[in-house]
Amino acid sequence: MLVPMARKTANDDPLAPVTLAVGQEDLLLDRAVQEVVAAARAADADTDVRDLTSDQLQPGTLAELTSPSLFAERKVVVVRNAHDLSADTIKDVKAYLGAPAEEITLVLLHAGGAKGKGLLDAARKAGAREVACPKMTKPADRLAFVRGEFRTLGRSATPEACQALVEAIGSDLRELASAAAQLVADVEGTIDEAVVGRYYTGRAEASSFTVADRAVEGRAAEALEALRWSLATGVAPVLITSALAQGVRAIGKLSSARGGRPADLARELGMPPWKIDRVRQQMRGWTPDGVAVALRAVAEADAGVKGGGDDPEYALEKAVVTIARAARSRGRA
């Protein structure tokens, strides 16, 4: 079962003459292709699929692939990295867009940048069905992706479970999709945070967000243990400083916000309501001065892991200890 793609055009027929998949997220690009192929083979089990890279589509090749067949067979022609096509081949594709062949679906995969923009514009002008496949760089995007996976698989997962899965697995969408499918296959009923923890505890312990959570809670020893585990299992130091920064900033935002219901604060601060509850628990020992100290520690660590210091691991350990102490600053005031 496929996850619905974001921002499709009004023409949402997978068997439209031309589908344009735009973006750089490999999993979504592959799913855009799979959706077209599945629809074509549902209409004709003998559909011929030709999957080509840009260098394999030479001038004249498209004409050969789309020429009338004696048996009028259905065909899907996939062109990957269409932004890298040669100028002469782009002329061929543009000409084809003006008069696409019957029983043939052309799928163009394009990165969406300035390179090859003429082809992108031509396909849109010709009314191609478009599927957006953007790179998911923000945690919120990956969280929405995981929620969508569970919905598509017909199962319910709590917000905390979705967040825990993102924190445990990381940014690779293929791994996130695989993990969601595994949980759905193995677990009955609603999938909660405890279930995710049981399945992915080793990875959760190694996640940058676990380091940050333990640090802002003032649990220095556990934060250092999680940090060392993270580094030993290959988590990039820059991801850890990013998670530390997010954790401290969340404390600062919530401590300076006016009181209110989690839903109201969520809208004001741009956090999900369940995270408001978590941060409220974490912020009990914090003071404004403590937040300022912690933010400086994060900035110093960030500079250290990006080349400003000789030992990134030491820079992170120092930041974690400083943040954990700052988390208990109210008790020492």
Side-chain angles (χ1 to χ4, degrees), residues 40 47 58 90 129 136 152 167 176 224 260-261 305 308-309 328:
T47 294
Q58 297 297 317
I90 287 177
R129 168 183 178 261
M136 295 191 180
T152 300
E167 292 178 0
L176 285 169
L224 287 171
R261 296 178 304 166
V305 303
R328 301 192 302 274

Side-chain angles (χ1 to χ4, degrees), residues 54-64 79 82-97 116 118-119:
S54 57
D55 61 325
Q56 292 175 315
L57 195 71
Q58 297 297 317
T61 304
L62 185 61
E64 293 175 11
V79 181
H83 48 277
D84 287 332
L85 291 172
S86 69
D88 288 339
T89 304
I90 287 177
K91 289 180 183 177
D92 287 353
V93 177
K94 287 182 176 179
Y96 177 81
L97 292 172
L119 177 59

Side-chain angles (χ1 to χ4, degrees), residues 150 165 169 173-185 199-200:
F150 284 121
L165 194 62
I169 300 299
L173 290 200
R174 291 185 191 280
E175 291 193 21
L176 285 169
S178 176
Q182 185 69 52
L183 289 168
V184 166
Y199 270 72
Y200 299 102

Side-chain angles (χ1 to χ4, degrees), residues 215-218 251 282-294 321-333:
V216 299
E217 290 162 4
I251 297 288
Q282 293 174 333
M283 63 183 281
R284 287 172 183 164
W286 285 88
T287 65
D289 287 344
V291 172
V293 168
V321 170
T322 302
I323 292 168
R325 286 176 179 167
R328 301 192 302 274
S329 56
R330 187 180 299 279
R332 298 196 307 271

